[in-house]
Amino acid sequence: MSQETNTDEVIPPEDLAMALQAIASSPGLRIAPIELPGRRVWIKRFDIEPLAFAKRLHWLISPVLYPPFLRGSAPALGEAGVERECSRISAFRAAGFRTPDILYRNGAMLILSDVSPVLTHELAAASVDRRQQLLLKLFTALGRMHGAGLVHGRPHLRDVSLNNGDICFFDFEEAPETTMPLADAQARDLWLVMLPVVALEPDEKKCRILLRTWLDAAPVEAVVALARFIGFVRPLLVPARLLPEAMQGGDLRRFLGAARFLAASISDMDSAIAASGQRTASQQVRS
């Protein structure tokens, strides 16, 4: 859509004028907060940042990547990016999930309500017990999301917040279901959440509780897709042990930690899909 539209909460004309003035004075900002009287809003622009070379290359080679789990999301810039973000916000809200309000939309620009605090900040300040409570909320919401046939695409902890006590999802810029089956995209969501969580939570028993929370609500197809991916990466874990930890960067350590944890949790996946009549997760990992 190119015409101006307002949805959800209507931003007062005087606040809108202040926000547009702030945007005009900082034309290079793509995502930034704007402080208005008594509130904070966020601007998102989809027309000023070209697709990074690495992402463009990933997208170009995605059709030949296997497993599909590794494929990149189809890019959406300009008004197409706004349309993707707004349509996904609408789908999540229709399914009962908290998202930002769309305060203003025009061309390739959005103004969204603030939904802080971001989960990364909440987890950093939380006690051990509080951290587990927050993560249980997150994995419960993730399972509900997938059970409703939805996928986030990039559920990093910085793209999730705790809003009025409920998990709130935002930053819907990726659409992996455009390049892979929905089940693979949902399994990819779980994997992306597990990367930081396994690094954050040293207690494997607590991580197993979180995984089982997702397994209880996720579609069996997503569980099978996750098992397929673990079967693909599992052979890489043996040679990875030979690499000194000092030579492993943070990303590699998180990757190996999540992969090892999920490979050790195949029995939980078996239990989740046993009634489906499909091959068990452990059979898929061995095949």
Side-chain angles (χ1 to χ4, degrees), residues 3-259:
Q3 70 266 33
E4 299 183 358
T5 60
N6 292 320
T7 58
D8 300 324
E9 178 186 352
V10 177
I11 187 169
E14 60 274 17
D15 284 358
L16 177 58
M18 291 179 63
L20 294 177
Q21 184 177 6
I23 293 168
S25 64
S26 303
L29 290 179
R30 190 176 102 77
I31 302 177
I34 296 177
E35 301 295 338
L36 299 176
R39 70 188 305 183
R40 170 186 287 179
V41 299
W42 288 82
I43 61 164
K44 290 192 72 173
R45 295 186 59 184
F46 295 81
D47 59 347
I48 63 173
E49 183 178 285
L51 194 65
F53 174 76
K55 287 187 176 181
R56 189 178 298 276
L57 179 62
H58 188 198
W59 162 242
L60 289 174
I61 66 174
S62 280
V64 299
L65 289 179
Y66 185 85
F69 200 104
L70 299 176
R71 296 172 187 166
S73 178
L77 302 175
E79 294 188 30
V82 169
E83 180 59 36
R84 173 181 288 177
E85 183 102 3
C86 291
S87 64
R88 294 173 86 81
I89 285 176
S90 296
F92 270 66
R93 297 189 74 159
F97 293 96
R98 287 188 180 273
T99 71
D101 286 334
I102 303 170
L103 302 177
Y104 180 79
R105 170 180 176 173
N106 182 29
M109 180 186 68
L110 286 175
I111 300 179
L112 302 170
S113 65
D114 181 61
V115 289
S116 58
V118 176
L119 198 56
T120 47
H121 298 162
E122 288 291 289
L123 289 169
S127 65
V128 172
D129 290 342
R130 176 61 174 162
R131 181 176 67 200
Q132 184 70 358
Q133 292 171 3
L134 292 172
L135 291 175
L136 277 171
K137 280 180 175 286
L138 172 60
F139 278 78
T140 299
L142 196 68
R144 282 183 49 234
M145 176 214 305
H146 295 155
L150 298 171
V151 60
H152 184 281
R154 192 188 62 192
H156 297 159
L157 299 183
R158 65 176 181 270
D159 295 328
V160 182
S161 69
L162 191 68
N163 188 251
N164 293 326
D166 292 327
I167 291 295
C168 176
F169 295 103
F170 56 94
D171 266 359
F172 299 98
E173 294 190 20
E174 295 199 17
E177 72 277 13
T178 61
T179 57
M180 66 185 75
L182 177 63
D184 287 271
Q186 292 173 333
R188 181 176 177 268
D189 269 358
L190 187 279
W191 166 257
L192 290 175
V193 169
M194 272 298 179
L195 287 170
V197 167
V198 171
L200 181 68
E201 178 51 74
D203 189 332
E204 185 173 321
K205 291 182 179 179
K206 290 182 177 180
C207 287
R208 294 286 286 271
I209 291 172
L210 298 174
L211 176 61
R212 289 168 183 161
T213 298
W214 178 77
L215 291 170
D216 286 344
V220 66
E221 294 82 3
V223 180
V224 171
L226 179 63
R228 259 197 319 266
F229 178 69
I230 297 305
F232 175 80
V233 302
R234 193 173 189 177
L236 304 176
L237 299 179
V238 175
R241 293 184 186 137
L242 303 177
L243 188 64
E245 189 168 339
M247 297 178 63
Q248 300 176 14
D251 288 343
L252 179 57
R253 284 196 295 271
R254 284 189 288 273
F255 177 93
L256 294 175

